[in-house]
């Protein structure tokens, strides 16, 4: 089985722009979660989607949003980019929702740099 | 508040020696605990999890973890370290919000350096 894929792998944007990141989960996985990883804040949960519904959301401003499609692929969008949004954005998929005991499988991440 | 603490930023160990990476947790209810490893320029890889049952959990690549309820700890261990084990290790706990939905809360990570 192919693993979790994320595109693009690297992005450079300027302040005020918006960006869309894409995640394709492992085939058959219905849950997709997004995390932000920075040296200062570590790994922080952004949100989880399960069967096209947002099940949970972390403590991030409304500029961060996401969606999931019927094929379980997910996108996250960040509008009005700020310098502090520079981070590695990780996507993880699992067969069940985070309400289950299933472990998550992570993609390689998208490295976003905001100038 | 539910949380995970990894008290050591870095652990140094000689190849062939046993290694321990520490993790303590604070949760209400039953703890569901996970260990992940991250290699440079890659996402996280699942190592093992504790849901219930035996306190000693065996995982991938020869790693194991010991769940200790009284000490609220879930330390990662390996009997004999390899240079290739050098990576960033994350402990995580499943947290339930007021709506009944769950998310993973990660510790800050511990960098393991195994020297030849």
């Amino acid at each position: 089985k192919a693993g979790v894929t994320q595109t693009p792998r690297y992005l450079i944007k300027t302040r005020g722009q918006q960006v869309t990141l894409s995640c394709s989960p492992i085939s058959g996985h219905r849950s997709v979660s997004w995390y932000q990883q920075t040296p200062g804040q570590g790994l922080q949960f952004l949100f989880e989607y399960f069967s096209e519904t947002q099940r949970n959301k972390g403590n991030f401003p409304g500029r961060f949003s996401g969606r999931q499609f019927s094929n379980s692929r997910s996108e996250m969008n960040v509008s009005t980019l700020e310098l502090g949004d520079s981070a590695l954005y990780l996507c993880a998929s699992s067969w069940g929702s985070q309400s289950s005991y299933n472990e998550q499988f992570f993609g390689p991440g998208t490295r976003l740099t905001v100038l | 508040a539910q949380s995970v603490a990894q008290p050591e930023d870095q652990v140094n160990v000689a190849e062939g020696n046993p290694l321990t990476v520490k993790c303590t947790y604070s949760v209400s209810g039953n703890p569901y605990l996970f260990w992940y490893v991250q290699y440079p320029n890659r996402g996280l890889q699942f190592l093992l999890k504790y849901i219930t049952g035996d306190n000693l959990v065996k995982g991938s690549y020869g790693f194991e973890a010991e769940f200790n309820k009284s000490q609220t700890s879930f330390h990662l261990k390996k009997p004999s370290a390899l240079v290739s084990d050098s990576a960033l290790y994350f402990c995580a706990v499943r947290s339930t919000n007021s709506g009944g939905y769950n998310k993973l809360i990660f510790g800050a990570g511990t960098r393991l350096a195994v020297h030849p």
Side-chain angles (χ1 to χ4, degrees):
Chain A
K1 266 188 184 176
V4 177
T5 58
Q6 293 186 246
T7 57
R9 291 293 310 278
Y10 301 92
L11 264 180
I12 300 176
K13 293 286 188 179
T14 56
R15 279 180 298 174
Q17 288 186 308
Q18 75 161 11
V19 66
T20 299
L21 312 182
S22 180
C23 172
S24 293
I26 291 172
S27 177
H29 285 190
R30 297 165 63 190
S31 166
V32 174
S33 298
W34 289 89
Y35 296 85
Q36 182 196 65
Q37 186 177 20
T38 60
Q41 298 299 317
L43 272 162
Q44 292 187 287
F45 172 78
L46 278 156
F47 27 66
E48 182 204 8
Y49 286 87
F50 182 79
S51 293
E52 301 179 65
T53 302
Q54 187 179 89
R55 294 289 292 269
N56 206 347
K57 193 177 192 307
N59 296 324
F60 280 83
R63 300 185 297 107
F64 291 81
S65 63
R67 59 178 176 169
Q68 187 179 33
F69 302 95
S70 58
N71 62 357
S72 293
R73 190 176 70 84
S74 177
E75 290 181 346
M76 69 162 281
N77 185 78
V78 188
S79 63
T80 320
L81 284 166
E82 300 177 0
L83 294 179
D85 296 334
S86 294
L88 180 67
Y89 290 88
L90 293 164
C91 166
S93 76
S94 63
W95 183 83
S97 75
Q98 288 208 33
S99 298
S100 69
Y101 310 136
N102 303 108
E103 60 271 23
Q104 295 177 61
F105 295 85
F106 284 78
T110 294
R111 173 76 61 187
L112 172 64
T113 302
V114 182
L115 302 176
Chain B
Q2 299 174 92
S3 62
V4 176
Q6 293 182 243
E8 302 155 317
D9 290 337
Q10 179 152 332
V11 170
N12 296 296
V13 65
E15 187 175 30
N17 283 1
L19 68 88
T20 298
V21 183
K22 296 180 180 177
C23 172
T24 58
Y25 64 89
S26 173
V27 297
S28 54
N30 294 322
Y32 301 114
L33 299 155
F34 301 79
W35 274 103
Y36 287 84
V37 60
Q38 185 177 34
Y39 296 98
N41 299 317
R42 297 177 66 175
L44 279 67
Q45 295 179 34
F46 169 76
L47 282 178
L48 49 81
K49 65 182 177 183
Y50 174 82
I51 304 300
T52 187
D54 290 341
N55 290 340
L56 186 63
V57 179
K58 294 191 182 295
S60 306
Y61 313 118
F63 284 94
E64 57 190 28
E66 186 171 10
F67 171 69
N68 188 316
K69 188 172 183 178
S70 62
Q71 297 185 5
T72 62
S73 67
F74 189 55
H75 300 332
L76 181 70
K77 300 182 178 185
K78 188 174 183 182
S80 178
L82 300 172
V83 173
S84 57
D85 292 330
S86 299
L88 189 56
Y89 289 80
F90 291 95
C91 181
V93 65
R94 197 185 78 176
S95 165
T96 304
N97 69 5
S98 57
Y101 294 123
N102 299 287
K103 64 181 180 183
L104 283 183
I105 295 177
F106 286 86
T110 298
R111 187 162 300 281
L112 173 66
V114 182
H115 305 284

